[in-house]
Amino acid sequence: MKSGESKRHGVLLAAAAVLVLALAVVSVAVGVFDLSWQGLVEGGEERLNALVLLASRVPRTIAVLLVGMSMGVAGLLMQLLSRNRFVSPSTAGTVESASFGILITMVFTPNAPVMVKMLIAAAFALAGTALLMLIIRRTPLRSPLVVPLIGLMLGGVIGAATTFIAYRYNLLQSLASWTTGDFSRVLRGRYELLWVSGGLTAIAYFAADRFTVAGMGESFTKNLGIDYRKVMILGLVIVSLVTAVNVVTVGAVPFIGLVVPNVVSLLVGDNVRRAIPWIAVFGAGFVLACDLLGRTLRYPYEVPVGTVIGVVGAALFLFLLLRRSSRVG
Amino acid sequence: MITARNLTKRYGQTVVLDDVSVEIPRGGITAMIGPNGAGKSTLLSLVGRLLKADGGTVEIDGVPTNGMKQSEFAKKVAILRQDNHLAVRLTVEDLVTFGRYPHSQGRPTVQDRGHVEAALDYLELQDLRHRFLDELSGGQRQRAFVAMVLCQDTDYVLLDEPLASLDMRHAVAMMKRMRGVTEDLGKTVVIVLHDINFAASYADTIVAMRDGRVVQHAVVDEVMTPEALRAIYDVDVHVEQIGGKPIGVYYT
């Protein structure tokens, strides 16, 4: 029975992965420039074909996949470490803290390389997320909804401070162009940092069992002989780096970290080792579908992916919220 | 043997555990009883290293626990607290398998699988093994948690009110299993109980606490007397011998 169960899981997962790959092929083919496969094969005068493909379409598709994957996994880690289903990088002040970090680099070291900007943004994201964890440890939590409320407030405060400083330094517009989720700026040479978040996702997979145990709470973690603080720190570092990399390269893409792990949790549960492959596939597919939708809705113009995900994600999230509360109550 | 020396725990100004010294012998079931707020759970948590003491030491088989690595300690002592609300969705089988973590480090061997099967059998969870914990009743979930700590296969098992959400049948079955665990596998079980009659019927020794101190520590028959129980609970208890066990009647 057990092996039958896991075999069925494997088949389903493989089918989902194939579906996402098919979507990725569509994503490579869709765009303003009329790509001709024939010209690509024949080469010659149609060299523009290869250029568009390799410099824009493929990087964009890879970026979309990496963002969906890594933000989904980052969301799962945050939900386990905060032991709350509604916490994610975009509902806990992590994204806002990273944006604040980017603003600081724009003010003080505007010419710093992207890597430095990313690390500073990550440090801010880490500080902001750790602050939230400290607050929720010290607050009497009467309802699970209190945690995301605190997170949203913290994010609001940090966001307000960011806006204020950006306004003072006349950086509002360039800050917005950094932090609004948008894949249309992705080009070869400007997205490769995202591979870092792919690597971090792999690390999360290696430490999967420790994160599952940490999700059971401090007592269980200690009882099983695992250092709770170490797992917490590892998780927060992964979440902060992933968020910072994403914000620096493509801007803030909301809701993935919230919706994807919750849907996967309903399907296969939270055993991290089992959940991460699903989250990776579903997260990548979800963002890819939303990106395709944004690119085709008012073709040849684009709707920013953040907007599309915002609408679709909000609907999904509401559905989850109503479903959860009807089950708990 | 668990040796606690001069254990003290304070929360702010309130002293919840006041200079407690107690020796819990190896083998058998030791029940901890006492009124609410007597410090039973706190004492258990200090022994199980879930809390840090403000003073005093704990030794397991003569080895001070504060020098032990957490991963080593987890192979000697397993502890299950009272309120276990998991936010993670796990299946019963996943949960019980995580009980092997101190031994397997996440890569269960054939031997680890055997322990998991045995624990699932032992707590009659085979039919529920693929169910998620949030789909179970409180009692079923409680059994799954106990299966997990048994799966950890430690010499010492500390349980904080494991009967809390169990019905009569399952409460009795649980205590019988604990007897089995001590008699067949030679484990030492320390268990916080609310119902003195469960303690009287299944435990070997009783540690009675009140106001952060140990007020009685003796074999069952010596604690199950009207005088001793009055000193612990401030309640008049009528004690009758029924089926060779002292049973207290306190519904006056």
Side-chain angles (χ1 to χ4, degrees):
Chain A
M1 162 129 192
K2 161 83 178 142
S3 69
E5 185 103 338
S6 55
K7 199 178 268 176
R8 199 173 61 92
H9 261 278
V11 170
L12 277 176
L13 186 62
V18 168
L19 199 72
V20 172
L21 279 181
L23 263 186
V25 172
V26 173
S27 161
V28 170
V30 169
V32 175
F33 182 83
D34 209 356
L35 207 62
S36 103
W37 297 104
Q38 201 189 351
L40 197 68
V41 180
E42 287 168 1
E45 291 164 359
E46 299 275 2
R47 209 177 285 160
L48 200 55
N49 261 323
L51 184 68
V52 168
L53 189 70
L54 294 177
S56 165
R57 299 279 175 78
V58 171
R60 178 179 189 149
T61 305
I62 292 176
V64 168
L65 294 176
L66 284 171
V67 166
M69 218 174 200
S70 60
M71 284 307 265
V73 172
L76 174 71
L77 295 189
M78 286 189 80
Q79 283 151 29
L80 291 172
L81 297 177
S82 65
R83 304 188 64 201
N84 188 293
R85 285 255 76 106
F86 303 115
V87 171
S88 73
S90 49
T91 55
T94 312
V95 168
E96 287 81 357
S97 305
S99 305
F100 188 61
I102 292 176
L103 175 71
I104 296 299
T105 63
M106 286 162 69
V107 171
F108 291 103
T109 57
N111 299 318
V114 154
M115 197 69 182
V116 173
K117 283 199 164 85
M118 187 278 282
L119 285 174
I120 291 175
F124 274 81
L126 185 62
T129 317
L131 179 65
L132 179 79
M133 293 292 174
L134 275 181
I135 295 174
I136 59 180
R137 268 187 93 127
R138 276 151 203 267
T139 318
L141 301 171
R142 294 199 177 76
S143 150
L145 290 175
V146 170
V147 173
L149 282 180
I150 296 174
L152 287 170
M153 278 195 288
L154 184 69
V157 171
I158 296 170
T162 310
T163 308
F164 177 73
I165 296 172
Y167 178 73
R168 274 305 179 87
Y169 285 88
N170 228 343
L171 288 169
L172 267 183
Q173 278 204 330
S174 42
L175 182 71
S177 77
W178 269 103
T179 54
T180 309
D182 184 5
F183 289 107
S184 63
R185 291 173 295 136
V186 171
L187 288 173
R188 186 168 55 194
R190 287 183 54 183
Y191 82 102
E192 284 78 359
L193 199 57
L194 279 173
W195 285 110
V196 173
S197 66
L200 291 162
T201 308
I203 294 177
Y205 184 72
F206 281 118
D209 289 327
R210 260 164 279 174
F211 288 120
T212 314
V213 172
M216 294 191 229
E218 194 168 352
S219 301
F220 277 97
T221 312
K222 279 188 180 168
N223 174 51
L224 294 177
I226 300 171
D227 190 333
Y228 187 69
R229 275 175 56 93
K230 274 191 195 156
V231 182
M232 187 68 124
I233 290 169
L234 176 66
L236 289 184
V237 166
I238 291 178
V239 166
S240 308
L241 279 171
V242 164
T243 307
V245 165
N246 277 289
V247 173
V248 165
T249 42
V250 298
V253 187
F255 277 113
I256 310 164
L258 190 63
V259 171
V260 173
N262 272 295
V263 170
V264 170
S265 169
L266 287 175
L267 295 175
V268 301
D270 292 322
N271 188 340
V272 179
R273 195 160 296 287
R274 203 173 305 140
I276 279 188
W278 279 98
I279 289 176
V281 170
F282 182 52
F286 179 59
V287 182
L288 198 53
C290 288
D291 184 55
L292 270 172
L293 201 64
R295 280 151 73 186
T296 45
L297 269 183
R298 34 192 294 261
Y299 186 83
Y301 304 104
E302 277 196 24
V303 182
V305 70
T307 312
V308 180
I309 292 183
V311 173
V312 180
L316 257 174
F317 182 53
L318 245 149
F319 168 75
L320 286 174
L321 209 61
L322 293 172
R323 208 196 126 98
R324 287 252 170 213
S325 56
S326 68
R327 260 209 325 197
V328 173
Chain B
M1 186 157 67
I2 300 173
T3 316
R5 285 204 193 92
N6 311 102
L7 278 182
T8 302
K9 181 72 187 172
R10 280 181 290 266
Y11 291 116
Q13 294 295 314
T14 331
V15 179
V16 284
L17 216 56
D18 188 2
D19 198 30
V20 167
S21 296
V22 66
E23 276 192 356
I24 294 170
R26 192 164 178 147
I29 298 180
T30 298
M32 290 170 62
I33 63 167
N36 297 333
K40 309 180 292 283
S41 297
T42 306
L43 179 55
L44 205 72
S45 293
L46 289 180
V47 172
R49 294 225 308 196
L50 295 183
L51 290 176
K52 280 226 174 340
D54 293 313
T57 57
V58 177
E59 288 174 9
I60 305 279
D61 297 333
V63 183
T65 59
N66 54 10
M68 281 168 115
K69 281 173 77 176
Q70 192 70 35
S71 51
E72 287 307 307
F73 185 78
K75 292 180 192 169
K76 279 230 140 265
V77 180
I79 179 166
L80 181 66
R81 299 228 311 201
Q82 191 181 352
D83 295 310
N84 300 302
H85 297 293
L86 288 198
V88 287
R89 266 186 108 222
L90 292 177
T91 62
V92 171
E93 185 180 339
D94 283 344
L95 179 81
V96 177
T97 307
F98 274 115
R100 291 306 296 169
Y101 193 90
H103 306 272
S104 69
Q105 301 298 318
R107 275 173 289 276
T109 60
V110 177
Q111 200 189 359
D112 290 319
R113 292 263 159 239
H115 278 280
V116 172
E117 294 305 318
L120 288 171
D121 284 337
Y122 210 57
L123 284 137
E124 298 170 40
L125 290 165
Q126 285 291 0
D127 293 343
L128 302 172
R129 62 187 298 164
H130 294 298
R131 296 268 291 277
F132 284 104
L133 290 170
D134 58 354
E135 300 165 351
L136 303 182
S137 72
Q140 292 169 330
R141 213 173 307 152
Q142 185 67 7
R143 272 152 57 206
F145 287 129
V146 172
M148 176 189 153
V149 288
L150 285 187
C151 202
Q152 214 173 319
D153 194 26
T154 51
D155 292 343
Y156 297 90
V157 180
L158 317 177
L159 302 167
D160 195 350
E161 295 210 31
L163 307 184
S165 45
L166 299 184
D167 59 27
M168 264 190 274
R169 180 173 95 83
H170 282 110
V172 168
M174 179 73 78
M175 289 312 292
K176 284 188 174 152
R177 282 182 202 116
M178 290 305 142
R179 277 248 62 98
V181 163
T182 54
E183 283 161 17
D184 307 336
L185 307 174
K187 295 185 187 305
T188 308
V189 175
V190 183
I191 187 166
V192 174
L193 291 173
H194 242 114
D195 188 332
I196 50 168
N197 292 328
F198 270 110
S201 303
Y202 296 102
D204 299 295
T205 48
I206 292 182
V207 172
M209 297 187 68
R210 180 177 178 164
D211 301 328
R213 293 163 197 269
V214 172
V215 289
Q216 289 270 346
H217 183 192
V219 293
V220 169
D221 287 325
E222 284 177 40
V223 181
M224 289 299 287
T225 63
E227 300 74 33
L229 290 171
R230 163 136 210 113
I232 301 165
Y233 287 103
D234 272 341
V235 172
D236 286 317
V237 182
H238 179 70
V239 180
E240 284 268 359
Q241 290 287 330
I242 299 175
K245 302 277 185 198
I247 299 295
V249 180
Y250 43 89
Y251 312 102
T252 46

